[in-house]
Amino acid sequence: MFLHPDDDPRTDGGFDGERATLLGYLDDQRLTLEMKCAGLDADALARRSVEPSNLSLLGLVRHLTEVERAWFRRVLAGQDVPWHYRTDADHDADFNGAEPDPEAVARAWENWRAEVAFAERFAAEAPDLSVTGTHHGKPVSLREVLVHMIEEYARHNGHADFLRERIDGRVGE
């Protein structure tokens, strides 16, 4: 086990209503990412999976920062904000630029937490889950974005499982 069940901050479900269910499962997925990265130094967080992959835990944190920013700030809130990592020259800079620098790691977590906080505020303040933004010229609802975010985190947390196991052998939920 990665954690003893009594120490696990995630829920066992039991949410009341659609909004609480979607937000609760998304929060649990976000907590899972943090748990998979906990206790690792900058070298371990930036360690690539296997050549030639650019996949690392730090890269996942940076990538999910951009995903949060894209869906909640850019699409749903309609903000014209720059990317944290992505550039015109390197669309994969979130992964490619994940270097073992303690200051860069701290900034990555600060950026991720800021984007999560914005997303949480946006979702809490939305009058309902049918609030829409525009993605590639088509409307997309908050409901759909929340489901997508749960899927996005779940997929990448699977990657994080393997990355963490390769770093120090820890496995589990």
Side-chain angles (χ1 to χ4, degrees):
M1 294 284 294
F2 199 79
L3 277 179
H4 187 277
D6 293 341
D7 298 326
D8 193 335
R10 297 168 299 177
T11 68
D12 285 327
F15 305 109
D16 185 24
E18 182 183 19
R19 184 189 301 244
T21 299
L22 292 172
L23 294 174
Y25 278 103
L26 178 53
D27 186 53
D28 284 347
Q29 290 296 322
R30 289 170 173 151
L31 285 168
T32 299
L33 176 68
E34 287 186 285
M35 289 168 45
K36 291 298 174 182
C37 296
L40 296 175
D41 64 15
D43 288 330
L45 286 169
R47 188 169 304 144
R48 304 297 200 245
S49 58
V50 289
E51 299 268 340
S53 176
N54 64 356
L55 193 62
S56 68
L57 287 170
L58 179 57
L60 288 174
V61 171
R62 291 163 50 109
H63 173 70
L64 289 163
T65 298
E66 296 289 45
V67 172
E68 294 270 3
R69 189 172 188 82
W71 285 109
F72 290 98
R73 286 191 196 265
R74 296 171 71 103
V75 172
L76 289 172
Q79 295 180 358
D80 184 19
V81 293
W83 298 106
H84 285 288
Y85 309 107
R86 181 180 177 166
T87 66
D88 289 337
D90 186 1
H91 288 246
D92 290 327
D94 42 1
F95 290 105
N96 293 333
E99 298 297 328
D101 172 14
E103 289 178 17
V105 169
R107 266 192 318 278
W109 283 113
E110 287 171 14
N111 290 339
W112 180 77
R113 286 186 177 94
E115 296 306 328
V116 167
F118 180 88
E120 289 173 337
R121 278 191 312 277
F122 184 93
E125 293 171 3
D128 58 57
L129 297 176
S130 63
V131 166
T132 60
T134 304
H135 182 60
H136 296 303
K138 296 181 181 175
V140 61
S141 70
L142 173 58
R143 175 183 291 104
E144 186 176 354
V145 168
L146 291 173
V147 170
H148 172 72
M149 292 299 295
I150 294 166
E151 177 273 332
E152 182 88 13
Y153 272 93
R155 180 167 31 96
H156 289 310
N157 282 335
H159 298 134
D161 283 336
F162 290 125
L163 289 163
R164 183 63 189 245
E165 184 177 8
R166 186 167 193 274
I167 291 166
D168 64 5
R170 288 187 74 181
V171 296
E173 297 176 37

